[in-house]
Coordinates of all heavy atoms in Angstrom, one line a residue:
M244 N 91.6 13.9 125.1 CA 90.4 13.8 125.9 C 89.2 13.9 125.1 O 89.1 14.6 124.1 CB 90.4 14.9 126.9 CG 91.4 14.8 128.0 SD 91.0 13.4 129.2 CE 92.0 13.8 130.6
V245 N 88.2 13.1 125.5 CA 86.9 13.1 124.8 C 85.8 13.6 125.7 O 85.7 13.1 126.8 CB 86.6 11.6 124.3 CG1 85.4 11.5 123.5 CG2 87.8 11.0 123.6
K246 N 85.0 14.5 125.2 CA 83.9 15.1 126.0 C 82.8 14.1 126.0 O 82.2 13.8 124.9 CB 83.5 16.4 125.5 CG 82.4 17.1 126.4 CD 82.1 18.5 126.0 CE 81.3 18.5 124.7 NZ 80.9 19.8 124.3
I247 N 82.4 13.6 127.2 CA 81.2 12.7 127.3 C 80.2 13.4 128.3 O 80.6 13.9 129.3 CB 81.6 11.3 127.9 CG1 82.7 10.7 127.0 CG2 80.4 10.4 128.0 CD1 82.3 10.3 125.6
I248 N 79.0 13.4 127.9 CA 77.9 14.0 128.8 C 77.1 12.8 129.3 O 76.4 12.1 128.5 CB 77.1 15.0 128.0 CG1 78.0 16.1 127.4 CG2 76.0 15.6 128.9 CD1 77.5 16.7 126.1
Y249 N 77.1 12.6 130.6 CA 76.3 11.6 131.3 C 75.1 12.3 131.8 O 75.2 13.3 132.5 CB 77.1 11.0 132.5 CG 78.4 10.3 132.1 CD1 79.6 11.0 131.9 CD2 78.4 9.0 131.9 CE1 80.8 10.4 131.6 CE2 79.6 8.3 131.6 CZ 80.7 9.0 131.4 OH 81.9 8.4 131.1
V250 N 73.9 11.8 131.4 CA 72.6 12.4 131.8 C 71.9 11.5 132.7 O 71.5 10.3 132.3 CB 71.8 12.7 130.6 CG1 70.5 13.5 131.0 CG2 72.6 13.5 129.6
E251 N 71.6 11.9 134.0 CA 70.8 11.1 134.9 C 69.4 11.1 134.5 O 68.9 12.0 133.7 CB 71.0 11.7 136.3 CG 72.4 11.6 136.9 CD 72.4 12.1 138.3 OE1 71.9 11.5 139.2 OE2 73.0 13.2 138.5
H252 N 68.6 10.2 135.1 CA 67.2 10.0 134.7 C 66.5 11.3 135.0 O 65.5 11.7 134.3 CB 66.6 8.9 135.4 CG 65.2 8.6 135.0 ND1 64.8 8.1 133.8 CD2 64.0 8.9 135.6 CE1 63.5 8.0 133.7 NE2 63.0 8.5 134.8
N253 N 66.9 12.0 136.1 CA 66.2 13.3 136.4 C 66.6 14.5 135.6 O 66.2 15.6 135.8 CB 66.4 13.6 137.9 CG 67.9 13.9 138.2 OD1 68.7 14.0 137.3 ND2 68.2 14.0 139.5
G254 N 67.5 14.2 134.6 CA 67.9 15.3 133.7 C 69.2 16.0 134.1 O 69.8 16.8 133.3
A255 N 69.8 15.6 135.3 CA 71.0 16.2 135.7 C 72.1 15.8 134.7 O 72.3 14.6 134.4 CB 71.4 15.8 137.1
R256 N 72.9 16.8 134.2 CA 73.9 16.5 133.2 C 75.3 16.6 133.8 O 75.6 17.6 134.6 CB 73.8 17.5 132.1 CG 72.5 17.4 131.3 CD 72.2 18.6 130.4 NE 73.2 18.7 129.3 CZ 73.0 18.0 128.2 NH1 72.0 17.3 128.0 NH2 73.9 18.2 127.2
H257 N 76.2 15.7 133.5 CA 77.6 15.8 133.9 C 78.5 15.7 132.7 O 78.6 14.7 132.1 CB 77.8 14.6 134.9 CG 76.9 14.5 136.0 ND1 77.1 15.1 137.2 CD2 75.7 13.8 136.1 CE1 76.0 14.8 138.0 NE2 75.2 14.1 137.3
E258 N 79.1 16.8 132.4 CA 79.9 16.9 131.2 C 81.4 16.7 131.7 O 81.9 17.5 132.5 CB 79.8 18.2 130.5 CG 80.5 18.4 129.2 CD 80.2 19.7 128.5 OE1 79.0 20.0 128.4 OE2 81.1 20.3 128.1
V259 N 82.0 15.6 131.2 CA 83.4 15.3 131.7 C 84.3 15.0 130.5 O 83.8 14.7 129.4 CB 83.4 14.2 132.7 CG1 82.5 14.5 133.9 CG2 83.0 12.9 132.1
N260 N 85.6 15.0 130.8 CA 86.6 14.6 129.8 C 87.1 13.3 130.1 O 87.6 13.0 131.2 CB 87.7 15.7 129.7 CG 87.2 17.0 129.2 OD1 86.5 17.0 128.2 ND2 87.6 18.1 129.8
V261 N 87.0 12.3 129.2 CA 87.4 11.0 129.4 C 88.6 10.7 128.5 O 88.6 11.1 127.3 CB 86.3 10.0 129.0 CG1 86.7 8.5 129.2 CG2 85.1 10.3 129.9
P262 N 89.7 10.1 129.0 CA 90.9 9.9 128.2 C 90.5 9.0 127.0 O 89.8 8.0 127.1 CB 91.9 9.2 129.1 CG 91.4 9.6 130.5 CD 89.9 9.7 130.4
D263 N 91.1 9.3 125.8 CA 91.0 8.4 124.6 C 91.3 7.0 125.0 O 92.4 6.7 125.6 CB 91.9 9.0 123.6 CG 91.5 8.6 122.2 OD1 90.5 7.8 122.0 OD2 92.1 9.1 121.2
G264 N 90.5 6.1 124.7 CA 90.7 4.6 124.9 C 90.2 4.1 126.2 O 90.1 2.9 126.4
E265 N 89.8 5.0 127.1 CA 89.2 4.6 128.4 C 87.7 4.2 128.2 O 87.1 4.9 127.4 CB 89.4 5.6 129.4 CG 89.0 5.2 130.8 CD 89.6 6.1 131.9 OE1 90.7 5.9 132.3 OE2 88.8 7.1 132.3
N266 N 87.2 3.2 128.9 CA 85.8 2.9 128.7 C 84.9 3.9 129.5 O 85.4 4.6 130.5 CB 85.5 1.4 129.0 CG 85.5 1.2 130.5 OD1 84.7 1.7 131.3 ND2 86.4 0.2 130.9
L267 N 83.7 4.0 129.1 CA 82.8 5.1 129.6 C 82.4 4.8 131.1 O 82.0 5.7 131.8 CB 81.6 5.3 128.7 CG 82.0 5.7 127.3 CD1 80.7 6.1 126.5 CD2 83.1 6.7 127.2
M268 N 82.4 3.6 131.5 CA 82.2 3.3 132.9 C 83.3 3.9 133.8 O 83.0 4.6 134.8 CB 82.0 1.8 133.2 CG 81.9 1.3 134.6 SD 83.4 1.2 135.5 CE 84.1 -0.3 134.8
E269 N 84.5 3.6 133.4 CA 85.7 4.2 134.1 C 85.6 5.7 134.1 O 86.0 6.3 135.1 CB 87.0 3.7 133.5 CG 87.4 2.2 133.8 CD 87.7 2.0 135.3 OE1 88.0 3.0 136.0 OE2 87.8 0.9 135.7
G270 N 85.3 6.2 132.9 CA 85.2 7.7 132.8 C 84.2 8.3 133.8 O 84.5 9.3 134.4
A271 N 83.1 7.6 134.1 CA 82.1 8.0 135.0 C 82.7 8.0 136.4 O 82.6 8.9 137.2 CB 80.8 7.2 134.9
L272 N 83.3 6.8 136.8 CA 83.9 6.6 138.1 C 84.9 7.7 138.4 O 85.0 8.3 139.5 CB 84.4 5.2 138.3 CG 83.5 4.0 138.2 CD1 84.2 2.8 138.7 CD2 82.2 4.3 139.1
Q273 N 85.8 7.9 137.5 CA 86.9 8.8 137.7 C 86.5 10.3 137.9 O 87.1 11.1 138.5 CB 87.9 8.8 136.4 CG 88.5 7.5 136.1 CD 89.4 7.0 137.3 OE1 90.0 7.8 138.0 NE2 89.4 5.7 137.5
N274 N 85.3 10.5 137.4 CA 84.7 11.9 137.5 C 83.5 12.0 138.5 O 82.8 13.0 138.5 CB 84.3 12.4 136.1 CG 85.5 12.6 135.3 OD1 86.3 13.6 135.4 ND2 85.8 11.7 134.4
N275 N 83.4 11.0 139.3 CA 82.3 11.0 140.3 C 80.9 11.2 139.8 O 80.1 12.0 140.4 CB 82.6 12.0 141.4 CG 83.9 11.7 142.1 OD1 84.2 10.6 142.5 ND2 84.8 12.8 142.3
V276 N 80.7 10.7 138.6 CA 79.3 10.8 138.0 C 78.4 9.8 138.8 O 78.7 8.6 138.8 CB 79.4 10.5 136.5 CG1 78.0 10.4 136.0 CG2 80.3 11.5 135.8
P277 N 77.3 10.2 139.4 CA 76.4 9.3 140.0 C 75.6 8.5 139.0 O 75.4 8.9 137.9 CB 75.5 10.2 140.8 CG 75.5 11.5 140.2 CD 76.9 11.6 139.4
G278 N 75.3 7.3 139.5 CA 74.4 6.4 138.6 C 75.1 5.3 137.9 O 74.4 4.5 137.2
I279 N 76.4 5.3 137.9 CA 77.2 4.3 137.2 C 78.1 3.7 138.3 O 79.0 4.4 138.7 CB 77.9 4.8 136.0 CG1 76.9 5.2 134.9 CG2 78.9 3.8 135.4 CD1 77.4 5.5 133.6
D280 N 77.9 2.5 138.7 CA 78.7 1.9 139.7 C 79.9 1.1 139.3 O 80.9 1.0 139.9 CB 77.8 1.1 140.7 CG 76.8 1.9 141.4 OD1 77.1 3.2 141.5 OD2 75.8 1.4 142.0
G281 N 79.7 0.3 138.2 CA 80.8 -0.5 137.7 C 81.2 -1.6 138.6 O 82.4 -1.9 138.8
D282 N 80.2 -2.3 139.2 CA 80.5 -3.3 140.2 C 81.4 -4.5 139.8 O 82.2 -5.1 140.6 CB 79.2 -3.9 140.8 CG 78.5 -2.9 141.7 OD1 79.1 -1.9 142.1 OD2 77.3 -3.2 142.1
C283 N 81.4 -4.9 138.5 CA 82.2 -6.0 138.0 C 83.5 -5.6 137.5 O 84.2 -6.4 136.9 CB 81.4 -6.8 137.0 SG 81.3 -6.1 135.4
G284 N 83.8 -4.3 137.6 CA 85.1 -3.8 137.1 C 85.2 -3.8 135.6 O 86.3 -3.7 135.0
G285 N 84.1 -3.8 134.9 CA 84.2 -3.6 133.4 C 84.1 -4.9 132.6 O 84.5 -4.9 131.5
N286 N 83.6 -6.0 133.2 CA 83.6 -7.3 132.6 C 82.3 -7.6 132.0 O 82.1 -8.8 131.7 CB 84.1 -8.3 133.6 CG 85.5 -8.2 133.9 OD1 86.4 -8.1 133.0 ND2 85.8 -8.1 135.2
A287 N 81.4 -6.7 131.8 CA 80.1 -7.0 131.2 C 79.3 -8.0 132.0 O 78.7 -8.9 131.4 CB 80.2 -7.4 129.7
A288 N 79.5 -8.0 133.3 CA 78.9 -9.0 134.2 C 78.0 -8.5 135.3 O 77.6 -9.3 136.2 CB 80.0 -9.9 134.7
C289 N 77.7 -7.2 135.3 CA 76.8 -6.7 136.4 C 75.7 -5.8 135.9 O 74.7 -5.7 136.6 CB 77.7 -6.0 137.5 SG 78.3 -4.4 136.9
A290 N 75.9 -5.1 134.9 CA 74.9 -4.1 134.3 C 74.7 -2.9 135.2 O 73.7 -2.2 135.1 CB 73.6 -4.8 134.0
T291 N 75.6 -2.7 136.2 CA 75.5 -1.4 137.0 C 76.0 -0.2 136.2 O 76.0 0.9 136.7 CB 76.2 -1.5 138.3 OG1 77.6 -1.8 138.1 CG2 75.6 -2.6 139.2
C292 N 76.4 -0.4 135.0 CA 76.8 0.7 134.1 C 75.9 0.8 132.9 O 76.2 1.4 131.9 CB 78.2 0.5 133.6 SG 78.4 -1.0 132.5
H293 N 74.6 0.3 133.1 CA 73.6 0.3 132.0 C 73.3 1.7 131.6 O 73.2 2.6 132.4 CB 72.4 -0.4 132.5 CG 71.2 -0.5 131.6 ND1 70.0 -0.7 132.0 CD2 71.2 -0.4 130.2 CE1 69.2 -0.8 130.9 NE2 69.9 -0.5 129.8
C294 N 73.3 2.0 130.3 CA 72.9 3.3 129.8 C 72.2 3.2 128.5 O 72.2 2.1 127.9 CB 74.2 4.1 129.7 SG 75.4 3.5 128.5
Y295 N 71.6 4.3 128.0 CA 70.9 4.4 126.7 C 71.7 5.3 125.8 O 72.2 6.4 126.3 CB 69.5 4.9 126.9 CG 68.7 4.1 127.9 CD1 68.2 4.8 129.0 CD2 68.4 2.8 127.8 CE1 67.4 4.1 130.0 CE2 67.7 2.1 128.7 CZ 67.2 2.7 129.8 OH 66.4 2.1 130.7
I296 N 71.8 4.9 124.6 CA 72.6 5.7 123.6 C 71.6 6.4 122.7 O 70.7 5.7 122.0 CB 73.5 4.8 122.8 CG1 74.4 4.0 123.7 CG2 74.3 5.6 121.8 CD1 75.4 4.8 124.5
P297 N 71.6 7.7 122.5 CA 70.7 8.4 121.6 C 70.9 7.9 120.2 O 72.1 7.5 119.8 CB 71.1 9.9 121.7 CG 71.8 10.0 123.0 CD 72.4 8.7 123.3
E298 N 69.8 7.8 119.4 CA 69.9 7.2 118.1 C 71.0 7.7 117.2 O 71.7 6.9 116.5 CB 68.5 7.5 117.4 CG 68.3 6.7 116.2 CD 66.9 7.0 115.5 OE1 66.1 7.6 116.2 OE2 66.7 6.5 114.4
Q299 N 71.3 9.0 117.2 CA 72.3 9.6 116.3 C 73.7 9.1 116.7 O 74.6 9.3 115.9 CB 72.2 11.1 116.3 CG 72.6 11.8 117.6 CD 71.4 12.0 118.5 OE1 70.5 11.3 118.6 NE2 71.5 13.1 119.3
W300 N 73.9 8.5 117.8 CA 75.2 8.0 118.2 C 75.4 6.5 118.1 O 76.4 6.0 118.3 CB 75.5 8.5 119.7 CG 75.7 9.9 119.9 CD1 74.8 10.8 120.3 CD2 76.9 10.7 119.6 NE1 75.3 12.1 120.3 CE2 76.6 12.0 119.9 CE3 78.2 10.3 119.1 CZ2 77.6 13.0 119.8 CZ3 79.1 11.3 119.0 CH2 78.8 12.7 119.3
E301 N 74.3 5.8 117.9 CA 74.3 4.4 118.0 C 75.3 3.8 117.0 O 76.1 2.9 117.4 CB 72.9 3.8 117.7 CG 72.0 3.9 118.9 CD 70.7 3.2 118.7 OE1 69.8 3.8 118.1 OE2 70.6 2.0 119.1
A302 N 75.4 4.2 115.8 CA 76.3 3.6 114.8 C 77.8 3.8 115.3 O 78.6 2.9 115.0 CB 76.1 4.2 113.4
L303 N 78.0 4.9 115.9 CA 79.4 5.2 116.3 C 79.9 4.5 117.6 O 81.1 4.3 117.8 CB 79.6 6.7 116.5 CG 79.5 7.6 115.3 CD1 79.4 9.1 115.6 CD2 80.7 7.4 114.4
T304 N 78.9 4.0 118.4 CA 79.3 3.3 119.6 C 79.4 1.8 119.4 O 79.7 1.1 120.3 CB 78.3 3.6 120.7 OG1 77.0 3.4 120.3 CG2 78.4 5.1 121.2
G305 N 79.1 1.3 118.2 CA 79.3 -0.1 117.9 C 78.1 -1.0 118.3 O 77.1 -0.4 118.6
T306 N 78.4 -2.2 118.3 CA 77.3 -3.2 118.6 C 77.6 -4.0 119.9 O 78.8 -4.1 120.3 CB 77.0 -4.2 117.4 OG1 78.3 -4.8 117.1 CG2 76.5 -3.4 116.2
R307 N 76.6 -4.5 120.5 CA 76.8 -5.3 121.7 C 77.4 -6.7 121.4 O 77.1 -7.3 120.4 CB 75.4 -5.6 122.3 CG 74.6 -4.4 122.7 CD 73.3 -5.0 123.3 NE 72.2 -4.0 123.3 CZ 71.0 -4.3 123.4 NH1 70.6 -5.6 123.5 NH2 70.0 -3.4 123.4
S308 N 78.3 -7.1 122.3 CA 78.8 -8.4 122.2 C 77.7 -9.4 122.7 O 76.7 -8.9 123.3 CB 80.1 -8.6 123.1 OG 79.7 -8.4 124.4
E309 N 77.9 -10.7 122.6 CA 77.0 -11.7 123.1 C 76.8 -11.5 124.6 O 75.7 -11.6 125.2 CB 77.5 -13.1 122.8 CG 76.8 -13.7 121.6 CD 77.2 -15.1 121.3 OE1 77.3 -15.9 122.2 OE2 77.6 -15.3 120.1
Q310 N 78.0 -11.4 125.3 CA 78.0 -11.3 126.7 C 77.2 -10.0 127.2 O 76.4 -10.0 128.1 CB 79.4 -11.2 127.2 CG 79.6 -10.7 128.7 CD 79.5 -11.8 129.7 OE1 79.5 -13.0 129.3 NE2 79.3 -11.5 130.9
E311 N 77.4 -8.9 126.5 CA 76.8 -7.7 126.8 C 75.3 -7.8 126.6 O 74.4 -7.4 127.4 CB 77.3 -6.6 125.9 CG 76.8 -5.2 126.3 CD 77.4 -4.1 125.4 OE1 78.2 -4.4 124.6 OE2 77.0 -2.9 125.6
D312 N 74.9 -8.4 125.5 CA 73.5 -8.7 125.2 C 72.8 -9.5 126.3 O 71.7 -9.2 126.7 CB 73.4 -9.5 123.9 CG 72.4 -9.0 122.9 OD1 71.9 -7.9 123.1 OD2 72.2 -9.7 121.9
A313 N 73.5 -10.5 126.7 CA 72.9 -11.4 127.8 C 72.7 -10.6 129.1 O 71.6 -10.8 129.7 CB 73.8 -12.6 128.0
M314 N 73.6 -9.7 129.4 CA 73.5 -8.9 130.7 C 72.3 -8.0 130.5 O 71.5 -7.8 131.4 CB 74.8 -8.2 131.0 CG 75.8 -8.9 131.6 SD 75.3 -10.0 133.0 CE 74.6 -8.8 134.1
I315 N 72.2 -7.3 129.4 CA 71.2 -6.3 129.2 C 69.8 -7.0 129.2 O 68.9 -6.4 129.7 CB 71.5 -5.5 127.9 CG1 72.6 -4.6 128.1 CG2 70.2 -4.8 127.4 CD1 73.2 -3.9 126.9
E316 N 69.7 -8.2 128.6 CA 68.4 -8.9 128.6 C 67.9 -9.1 130.1 O 66.7 -9.2 130.3 CB 68.6 -10.2 128.0 CG 68.3 -10.1 126.5 CD 68.4 -11.5 125.8 OE1 68.2 -12.5 126.5 OE2 68.8 -11.5 124.6
L317 N 68.8 -9.2 131.0 CA 68.4 -9.4 132.4 C 67.9 -8.1 133.1 O 67.2 -8.2 134.1 CB 69.6 -9.9 133.2 CG 70.1 -11.3 132.8 CD1 71.3 -11.7 133.6 CD2 69.0 -12.4 133.0
A318 N 68.2 -7.0 132.5 CA 67.8 -5.7 133.1 C 66.3 -5.4 132.9 O 65.9 -5.4 131.7 CB 68.7 -4.6 132.6
D319 N 65.6 -5.0 133.9 CA 64.2 -4.7 133.8 C 64.0 -3.4 132.9 O 62.9 -3.2 132.3 CB 63.5 -4.3 135.1 CG 63.5 -5.6 136.0 OD1 63.5 -6.7 135.5 OD2 63.4 -5.4 137.2
T320 N 65.0 -2.6 132.9 CA 64.9 -1.3 132.2 C 65.5 -1.3 130.8 O 65.8 -0.3 130.2 CB 65.6 -0.2 133.0 OG1 66.9 -0.7 133.4 CG2 64.8 0.1 134.3
A321 N 65.7 -2.5 130.3 CA 66.4 -2.7 128.9 C 65.5 -2.1 127.8 O 64.3 -2.2 127.8 CB 66.7 -4.1 128.6
K322 N 66.2 -1.4 126.9 CA 65.5 -0.9 125.7 C 66.4 -1.2 124.5 O 67.6 -1.7 124.7 CB 65.5 0.7 125.8 CG 64.6 1.2 126.9 CD 64.6 2.7 126.8 CE 63.9 3.4 127.9 NZ 64.0 4.9 127.9
P323 N 65.9 -1.1 123.3 CA 66.7 -1.4 122.1 C 68.0 -0.7 122.0 O 69.0 -1.2 121.5 CB 65.8 -1.0 120.9 CG 64.4 -1.1 121.5 CD 64.5 -0.7 122.9
N324 N 68.1 0.5 122.6 CA 69.3 1.3 122.6 C 70.1 1.2 123.9 O 71.0 2.0 124.2 CB 69.0 2.8 122.3 CG 68.2 3.4 123.4 OD1 67.5 2.8 124.2 ND2 68.3 4.8 123.4
S325 N 69.9 0.1 124.6 CA 70.7 -0.1 125.9 C 72.1 -0.5 125.5 O 72.3 -1.3 124.6 CB 70.0 -1.2 126.7 OG 68.8 -0.8 127.3
R326 N 73.0 -0.1 126.3 CA 74.4 -0.6 126.2 C 75.0 -0.6 127.7 O 74.4 -0.1 128.6 CB 75.3 0.4 125.4 CG 75.0 0.5 123.9 CD 75.3 -0.8 123.2 NE 76.6 -1.4 123.4 CZ 77.7 -1.1 122.7 NH1 77.6 -0.2 121.7 NH2 78.9 -1.6 123.0
L327 N 76.1 -1.3 127.8 CA 76.9 -1.2 129.0 C 78.0 -0.2 128.8 O 78.8 -0.4 127.9 CB 77.4 -2.6 129.4 CG 76.4 -3.7 129.6 CD1 77.0 -5.1 129.8 CD2 75.4 -3.3 130.8
A328 N 78.1 0.8 129.7 CA 79.1 1.8 129.5 C 80.5 1.3 129.5 O 81.4 1.8 128.8 CB 78.9 2.9 130.5
C329 N 80.7 0.2 130.2 CA 82.1 -0.4 130.3 C 82.5 -1.0 128.9 O 83.7 -1.3 128.8 CB 82.2 -1.4 131.4 SG 81.2 -2.9 131.1
Q330 N 81.6 -1.2 128.0 CA 81.9 -1.8 126.8 C 82.1 -0.8 125.6 O 82.2 -1.2 124.5 CB 80.9 -2.9 126.4 CG 80.7 -4.0 127.4 CD 82.0 -4.7 127.7 OE1 82.5 -5.3 126.8 NE2 82.5 -4.7 128.9
I331 N 82.1 0.4 126.0 CA 82.2 1.5 125.0 C 83.5 2.3 125.3 O 83.6 2.8 126.5 CB 81.0 2.5 125.0 CG1 79.7 1.7 124.7 CG2 81.2 3.6 123.9 CD1 78.5 2.5 124.8
K332 N 84.4 2.4 124.4 CA 85.7 3.1 124.6 C 85.6 4.5 124.1 O 85.1 4.7 123.0 CB 86.8 2.4 124.0 CG 87.2 1.1 124.7 CD 88.7 0.7 124.4 CE 89.2 -0.2 125.4 NZ 89.1 -1.6 125.1
A333 N 86.1 5.5 124.8 CA 86.1 6.8 124.4 C 87.0 6.9 123.2 O 88.1 6.3 123.1 CB 86.6 7.7 125.5
S334 N 86.6 7.7 122.2 CA 87.5 8.0 121.0 C 87.0 9.3 120.4 O 86.0 9.8 120.8 CB 87.3 6.9 120.0 OG 86.0 7.0 119.4
A335 N 87.9 9.9 119.6 CA 87.6 11.2 119.0 C 86.2 11.2 118.3 O 85.5 12.2 118.4 CB 88.7 11.6 118.0
A336 N 85.8 10.1 117.8 CA 84.5 10.0 117.0 C 83.4 10.2 118.0 O 82.3 10.6 117.6 CB 84.4 8.7 116.3
L337 N 83.6 10.0 119.3 CA 82.5 10.1 120.3 C 82.5 11.4 121.0 O 81.8 11.5 122.0 CB 82.6 8.9 121.3 CG 82.4 7.5 120.7 CD1 82.5 6.4 121.8 CD2 81.1 7.4 119.8
D338 N 83.3 12.3 120.6 CA 83.4 13.6 121.3 C 82.0 14.3 121.3 O 81.5 14.5 120.2 CB 84.5 14.5 120.6 CG 84.8 15.7 121.5 OD1 85.1 15.5 122.7 OD2 84.9 16.8 121.0
G339 N 81.5 14.6 122.5 CA 80.2 15.2 122.6 C 79.1 14.2 122.8 O 77.9 14.6 122.9
L340 N 79.4 12.9 122.9 CA 78.4 11.9 123.1 C 77.6 12.1 124.4 O 78.2 12.4 125.5 CB 79.1 10.5 123.2 CG 78.2 9.3 123.7 CD1 77.1 9.0 122.6 CD2 79.1 8.1 123.9
E341 N 76.3 11.9 124.4 CA 75.5 11.9 125.6 C 75.0 10.5 125.8 O 74.6 9.8 124.9 CB 74.2 12.7 125.3 CG 74.3 14.2 125.5 CD 72.9 14.8 125.5 OE1 71.8 14.2 125.7 OE2 72.8 16.0 125.2
I342 N 75.2 10.1 127.1 CA 74.6 8.8 127.4 C 73.6 9.0 128.6 O 73.9 9.8 129.4 CB 75.7 7.7 127.7 CG1 76.4 8.0 129.0 CG2 76.6 7.5 126.6 CD1 77.3 6.8 129.4
H343 N 72.5 8.3 128.5 CA 71.5 8.5 129.5 C 71.3 7.3 130.4 O 71.5 6.1 130.0 CB 70.1 8.7 128.7 CG 70.2 9.9 127.9 ND1 69.5 11.1 128.3 CD2 70.8 10.2 126.8 CE1 69.7 12.0 127.4 NE2 70.5 11.5 126.4
M344 N 71.0 7.5 131.7 CA 71.0 6.5 132.6 C 69.5 6.1 133.0 O 68.6 7.0 133.0 CB 71.7 6.8 133.9 CG 73.2 6.8 133.7 SD 74.0 7.6 135.1 CE 74.6 9.1 134.4
P345 N 69.2 4.8 133.3 CA 67.9 4.4 133.6 C 67.5 5.0 135.0 O 68.3 5.3 135.8 CB 68.0 2.9 133.7 CG 69.3 2.5 133.2 CD 70.2 3.7 133.2
A346 N 66.2 5.1 135.2 CA 65.7 5.6 136.5 C 66.1 4.8 137.7 O 66.2 5.3 138.8 CB 64.1 5.6 136.5
T347 N 66.5 3.5 137.5 CA 66.9 2.7 138.6 C 68.3 3.0 139.1 O 68.7 2.4 140.1 CB 66.8 1.2 138.2 OG1 67.4 1.0 136.9 CG2 65.3 0.8 138.1
Q348 N 69.0 3.7 138.3 CA 70.4 4.1 138.7 C 70.5 5.5 139.1 O 70.4 6.4 138.2 CB 71.4 3.8 137.5 CG 71.5 2.3 137.2 CD 72.2 2.0 135.9 OE1 71.8 1.1 135.2 NE2 73.2 2.8 135.5
H349 N 70.7 5.8 140.3 CA 70.9 7.1 140.8 C 71.7 7.2 142.0 O 72.1 6.2 142.6 CB 69.5 7.8 141.0 CG 68.6 7.0 141.8 ND1 68.7 7.0 143.2 CD2 67.6 6.1 141.4 CE1 67.7 6.1 143.6 NE2 67.1 5.6 142.6
Ligands
FES543 FE1 79.8 -4.4 135.2 FE2 79.8 -2.7 133.1 S1 80.8 -2.5 134.9 S2 78.7 -4.6 133.3

């Protein structure tokens, strides 16, 4: 299990354990974390799992695919550190990762 901390725009924190290898959108849904809907089922096609990655974790969470990039560009709330939670898999290296949600997701 990998400890992931989901932080809502209002500061509410949800610390949950996500199975190794599971994506962070699924991890949120399985643990009833509000603010991540996962409408497309994890196919990088809806951006309802949009989140921001703190700078110190960016290198460990990898880079966006072309598809992910295209979806994020459509989001009004996009920032340089935007990612889609469905495109990040939990792993031991991410234990303690905090991901932050945009104000539009609550
Ligand atoms: Fe649709 Fe992540 S669940 S983009």
Side-chain angles (χ1 to χ4, degrees):
M244 288 289 198
V245 182
K246 182 172 74 175
I247 305 291
I248 303 153
Y249 298 85
V250 185
E251 294 183 71
H252 185 72
N253 66 8
R256 297 166 66 86
H257 306 271
E258 187 174 312
V259 304
N260 291 315
V261 178
D263 203 350
E265 187 162 275
N266 75 59
L267 303 190
M268 175 277 286
E269 285 290 346
L272 294 190
Q273 298 299 326
N274 290 284
N275 300 315
V276 174
I279 293 188
D280 291 342
D282 287 349
C283 76
N286 292 307
C289 72
T291 60
C292 65
H293 181 197
C294 63
Y295 306 120
I296 305 296
E298 192 178 349
Q299 67 270 32
W300 291 98
E301 282 187 277
L303 291 169
T304 52
T306 54
R307 301 178 198 161
S308 67
E309 260 180 49
Q310 165 85 17
E311 184 178 1
D312 226 11
M314 280 314 303
I315 286 172
E316 270 179 29
L317 297 175
D319 293 340
T320 50
K322 294 183 187 178
N324 63 340
S325 288
R326 290 296 309 271
L327 298 176
C329 66
Q330 302 302 300
I331 302 172
K332 285 202 163 92
S334 68
L337 298 183
D338 195 47
L340 169 69
E341 272 189 26
I342 68 172
H343 297 253
M344 287 170 250
T347 49
Q348 290 167 220
H349 50 80

